[in-house]
Amino acid sequence: MILCLTLLTLQVPAAPAARVDWPVFLARHDLMWDRLPTRWGESAFIGNGRLGATIDAQGGVLGWTINRTDFVHDQSRFPIGRVVVKTTGTMQGGDARLTLWDAEASGTVTTDRGEVRWRSFTAAQPSVIVVVLEARGGERDVDLDWAPAEARPPRKVARKEAFLPSDLHPPPTVTRLRAEITSVQSFIGGGAHAESIKRASGGVFYISIGQGRTDREALTEARAATSDAARLGVARLERAHRQWWHAYYPASFLTFPDARLEAYYWIQIYKLGSAMRAAGPILDLNGPWFNATPWPAIWWNLNIQLTYSPLFRANRLDLAESLFSNLDRNRQALIDNVPERLRGGAAAIGRSSGPDLVRPVDLATAQSDAAHEMGDLPWTMYYYWLHYRYQMDDRILRERVYPLLKLAIGNYLAYVERGDDGRWHLPPTHSPELATVPDANYDLALLRWGLETLIGGAQRLGLDEPLLSRWRDVLANLTPFPTDSAGLMVGRGRPWQQSHRHYSHLLAIYPLRLITPDRSDQRALIETSLANWERDISLFRGYSFTGGAALHALLGHGDVALTRLNQYLDAPRYMEPNTFYAEAGPVIETPLSAAASIQELFLQDWGGALRVFPAVPSAWADAAFDRLRADGAFLVSGVRRDGRTAWVRIESIAGEPCRLIVPDWETAVVRAHTGPAPRVTRDSAGALVIGLRRGASVVLAPDATSSLPDVRPVALPPGRNPFPILKDGLRATQP
């Protein structure tokens, strides 16, 4: 039965609004230290999407370990060096604070002569780190100095491998003058980076890193940035810096009554703004906060995907351009990564690469698991597809997503084989970190998703696509996902054997959602597969727990999802006090994937419907979000009060069809709207079908008379701000 929900004609309260005092709200999540941090995992961190620093005290001296994400030599990141504070006296202690709202670190260094107050931020234009030092008491002539890093390949350093002659780059040339320190590091085979530390009046310093083909180019770039900064002055740089950040945060809002997780979420939002910018480089495993690592590159078999996963729901699509614009610019490199015989219709990328995206893949001659890895570009394309679907600009689909996805799936189609059963099968490919097997579920999921997406994309664009009949044939006759009594197998002939950190065999469930819990048989398959994957969580790493949280959220298991997130945060082996994360080396994607998993508790979009508060933990009686973005280009807001959804607002950016499911509503009424009055019906599946034109919005509630509370920060219990958490008992105090 189709029931029309009529608009109210009686007097109703004003539509709810978002009322967030952003400086006050974010201050409750500032990181604060009552002693100076002493290493990378405790440090304060700042950045502008390209240039950045971790700030800590090492060897009794406060310093800024600086780096630049896009400086790469021989496909590898390199350490740059450290700017250190020179004091008259010996350091005795100090404190620090990272103010999220202003994206600024500050603090005090106490010495046996007096104290030095400091503050620092990373300006974007020009790209410089600003440091302001103020000496007090017996401290005089406080200054900065430079300690360059040794230029050696980090992967070889981490693995303790012998250096080749080509690895023994010369020491840097450091020049110390009254007004400026410069440092130039050249590399065997060409290329250089250079640093400029310029002194200005009032204890102000400007720091920049330049790069180039030659020493001169690199130094010219670095000095141009610090000279421009000195000409503009601190006040103007600070004003532009804060203007960007104060516009950045309110793009979306999320609040809930869990002090640790809420703080963690907002620190990740800060981290994203510090590590990515639309015109910047791809965010690799280190970003602007390089630390000793065996992984000094971009990894494409989970890391890059999880790194970018929280941006779309968080309504920060501009930052995602740092990945997708680089895919566009380097499309030819992706094509050249496949054998020459396939370059007319295929593209790929191997397990890891530098920013040029050069990493060949040839299944016909593959000699290692890594060389059998086919799904890295298709999985990345899933997020490029979200980038399109969350704004519904068909130019993005026509000119960018569709052509590259066609090439990525074309690489699979070059290898599919018709079996004796009449089905299309994949030869042995590698399910990341698990096994190389035929009909790997990882690759079958990506191939199925890619074919469905290409067929739908061609139809939407009205294309006369010559490959359409082949796509339909392969999709219709593609072998089913291999399963057994334990659920999804790794692939044909390879059952799931034991718990493992990677969930590549479950990709059809999450994030692709080809297998969904709205059908009883598929729900049973998800539950069985998930239970077997989680059988021994002692084998998990951080992203296993965040992935598990998202999988349980898909099932509506909010309490279990919360348990998985807390298990992740409770893992001191990997979790760093400042929310950084490291296994054998830094891996930035895991904390960011936790933010994406938190979003899954509040809003999901699959099965053609928006799902509001689909997996809220039972302990969270009150929660709210504002302007989270969803598939179909909708901005969704909602408030949960006393354990029930009080209202939902949907704003349509593109006028796409809208279906809504609110699990705890049996009825719904329209309480307010902008634009033409929307027609709201309920379909046979129980979803609300809402007719919203482009630019229109509607507020729905479960009844006609209940209050519509504004979106406000949820009250947290009094106590200490939970980050950073250090082993010596340090906690941040409530602001």
Side-chain angles (χ1 to χ4, degrees):
M1 178 180 179
I2 304 299
L3 175 66
C4 183
L5 303 176
T6 57
L7 294 172
L8 296 178
T9 57
L10 59 147
Q11 189 74 24
V12 295
R19 304 191 186 281
V20 182
D21 186 330
W22 281 97
V24 172
F25 171 73
L26 288 175
R28 76 188 194 182
H29 302 316
D30 285 352
L31 290 87
M32 292 183 285
W33 297 256
D34 55 21
R35 68 151 169 82
L36 289 171
T38 58
R39 60 185 180 84
W40 173 85
E42 295 179 358
S43 64
F45 51 96
I46 56 175
N48 66 9
R50 189 185 306 267
L51 175 68
T54 52
I55 306 169
D56 53 24
Q58 299 179 20
V61 178
L62 180 69
W64 283 248
T65 300
I66 66 171
N67 213 281
R68 178 170 160 166
T69 305
D70 59 347
F71 179 77
V72 172
H73 175 75
D74 194 22
Q75 300 281 39
S76 175
R77 297 284 302 277
F78 272 77
I80 301 294
R82 187 167 169 83
V83 178
V84 295
V85 177
K86 294 173 63 177
T87 57
T88 304
T90 302
M91 191 178 81
Q92 303 292 306
D95 56 30
R97 178 169 186 156
L98 180 57
T99 303
L100 299 183
W101 176 240
D102 290 335
E104 179 176 293
S106 61
T108 302
V109 175
T110 57
T111 74
D112 56 3
R113 298 286 189 90
E115 70 174 25
V116 177
R117 294 189 177 182
W118 59 272
R119 66 186 185 95
S120 185
F121 61 92
T122 309
Q125 293 180 337
S127 182
V128 295
I129 296 167
V130 179
V131 178
V132 181
L133 303 177
E134 179 188 358
R136 295 190 168 198
E139 279 295 334
R140 297 286 186 273
D141 301 322
V142 64
D143 200 359
L144 294 182
D145 200 4
W146 172 242
E150 186 177 39
R152 296 291 180 266
R155 193 167 175 85
K156 289 187 176 181
V157 172
R159 294 181 168 189
K160 299 181 179 179
E161 296 176 357
F163 296 130
L164 298 173
S166 58
D167 298 327
L168 302 177
H169 306 293
T173 301
V174 180
T175 303
R176 293 177 171 86
L177 301 174
R178 185 178 64 83
E180 183 184 25
I181 300 173
T182 61
S183 178
V184 179
Q185 174 67 64
S186 60
F187 286 80
I188 297 171
H193 67 73
E195 292 68 54
S196 168
I197 305 169
K198 185 175 289 290
R199 300 178 179 91
S201 61
V204 177
F205 300 81
Y206 304 106
I207 305 161
S208 190
I209 302 172
Q211 65 171 330
R213 293 166 297 178
T214 65
D215 295 3
R216 183 175 181 179
E217 278 187 9
L219 184 57
T220 297
E221 182 184 13
R223 299 188 75 183
T226 55
S227 295
D228 285 350
R231 177 178 53 80
L232 292 169
V234 171
R236 290 176 66 180
L237 293 176
E238 181 180 76
R239 187 160 53 248
H241 171 76
R242 292 184 178 181
Q243 183 179 22
W244 189 92
W245 279 96
H246 296 173
Y248 167 76
Y249 283 114
S252 65
F253 178 68
L254 186 61
T255 183
F256 50 96
D258 185 315
R260 182 169 71 158
L261 270 179
E262 187 184 82
Y264 196 87
Y265 179 82
W266 283 102
I267 293 167
Q268 305 322 303
I269 297 298
Y270 164 78
K271 192 181 293 180
L272 288 165
S274 300
M276 293 181 188
R277 295 295 167 91
I282 296 173
L283 178 55
D284 60 14
L285 274 67
N286 281 261
W289 309 301
F290 187 87
N291 196 33
T293 180
W295 304 309
I298 303 168
W299 253 257
W300 297 91
N301 61 348
L302 172 135
N303 308 80
I304 199 72
Q305 293 86 352
L306 297 194
T307 294
Y308 280 80
S309 63
L311 293 173
F312 312 98
R313 182 80 68 225
N315 195 25
R316 300 172 203 281
L317 301 182
D318 58 324
L319 299 186
E321 283 290 344
S322 61
L323 172 60
F324 303 130
S325 292
N326 277 291
L327 289 180
D328 295 341
R329 281 192 290 270
N330 291 285
R331 185 184 296 179
Q332 189 59 51
L334 297 171
I335 294 171
D336 291 343
N337 283 335
V338 303
E340 187 174 359
R341 68 186 184 279
L342 303 181
R343 290 175 187 168
I349 194 166
R351 181 174 295 178
S352 64
S353 79
D356 59 6
L357 310 192
V358 174
R359 186 63 184 267
V361 179
D362 185 351
L363 198 61
T365 61
Q367 299 295 315
S368 66
D369 285 343
H372 282 90
E373 211 162 84
M374 295 278 285
D376 298 335
L377 181 58
W379 190 1
T380 306
M381 290 305 301
Y382 169 74
Y383 290 97
Y384 206 167
W385 171 250
L386 290 188
H387 190 58
Y388 156 67
R389 290 291 305 178
Y390 277 44
Q391 52 193 313
M392 298 305 297
D393 181 346
D394 282 352
R395 291 173 300 175
I396 296 175
L397 176 61
R398 179 180 295 105
E399 299 170 11
R400 302 174 65 187
V401 176
Y402 183 89
L404 187 53
L405 180 59
K406 183 176 175 179
L407 293 169
I409 299 304
N411 196 42
Y412 278 133
L413 296 179
Y415 296 102
V416 292
E417 305 163 341
R418 181 82 78 170
D420 293 340
D421 58 359
R423 297 279 194 173
W424 289 104
H425 295 266
L426 284 171
T429 59
H430 189 63
S431 185
E433 300 196 4
L434 298 180
T436 297
V437 291
D439 288 336
N441 269 324
Y442 169 74
D443 290 292
L444 285 176
L446 289 164
L447 175 55
R448 183 173 295 278
W449 168 81
L451 290 170
E452 290 179 354
T453 302
L454 284 170
I455 292 167
Q459 291 172 339
R460 181 175 180 95
L461 297 173
L463 300 178
D464 183 16
E465 173 57 65
L467 291 176
L468 198 56
S469 60
R470 174 157 168 75
W471 294 343
R472 285 174 171 157
D473 172 56
V474 175
L475 179 61
N477 297 290
L478 188 62
T479 190
F481 298 122
T483 61
D484 62 9
S485 60
L488 288 170
M489 302 167 67
V490 178
R492 175 159 46 97
R494 173 63 157 81
W496 182 249
Q497 295 176 343
Q498 66 178 19
S499 294
H500 187 278
R501 64 182 182 177
H502 207 303
Y503 50 90
S504 58
H505 69 302
L506 302 180
L507 217 67
I509 304 171
Y510 178 80
L512 301 182
R513 297 181 177 90
L514 301 173
I515 303 170
T516 56
D518 51 348
R519 284 177 40 184
S520 59
D521 59 332
Q522 292 192 0
R523 173 175 280 271
L525 177 60
I526 295 171
E527 291 174 341
T528 300
S529 302
L530 181 54
N532 280 286
W533 177 58
E534 292 186 323
R535 195 164 53 230
D536 184 2
I537 62 174
S538 67
L539 299 174
F540 278 9
R541 298 295 184 266
Y543 68 80
S544 316
F545 291 108
T546 65
L551 284 157
H552 281 288
L554 177 66
L555 292 167
H557 298 165
D559 288 345
V560 183
L562 178 59
T563 296
R564 294 291 177 267
L565 288 167
N566 282 324
Q567 287 170 321
Y568 159 63
L569 291 182
D570 290 337
R573 182 179 174 187
Y574 305 112
M575 267 295 304
E576 296 287 355
N578 63 359
T579 82
F580 282 177
Y581 178 88
E583 293 178 15
V587 276
I588 202 170
E589 86 289 321
T590 295
L592 302 179
S593 73
S597 296
I598 290 169
Q599 294 165 357
E600 294 288 328
L601 307 178
F602 291 83
L603 179 63
Q604 298 175 21
D605 46 13
W606 52 269
L610 310 180
R611 299 163 190 268
V612 173
F613 295 121
V616 180
S618 57
W620 296 1
D622 296 343
F625 64 91
D626 185 60
R627 294 173 61 82
L628 294 183
R629 193 174 277 254
D631 182 82
F634 297 102
L635 293 175
V636 187
S637 307
V639 167
R640 181 175 172 86
R641 180 66 58 86
D642 298 327
R644 190 184 186 197
T645 302
W647 59 264
V648 175
R649 180 174 58 241
I650 301 174
E651 305 170 54
S652 177
I653 296 171
E656 291 292 307
C658 180
R659 296 175 67 241
L660 172 69
I661 295 175
V662 184
D664 61 353
W665 281 3
E666 295 182 357
T667 61
V669 297
V670 175
R671 296 289 298 271
H673 66 90
T674 62
R679 184 172 184 266
V680 183
T681 59
R682 194 181 294 275
D683 66 17
S684 58
L688 299 173
V689 181
I690 307 166
L692 279 176
R693 294 186 183 179
R694 182 191 300 267
S697 69
V698 63
V699 177
L700 298 171
D703 55 57
T705 59
S706 60
S707 63
L708 303 178
D710 290 331
V711 175
R712 297 179 185 275
V714 170
L716 297 179
R720 295 184 167 202
N721 189 356
F723 291 102
I725 301 174
L726 305 184
K727 292 180 180 179
D728 60 6
L730 170 66
R731 297 292 189 277
T733 55
Q734 196 73 2

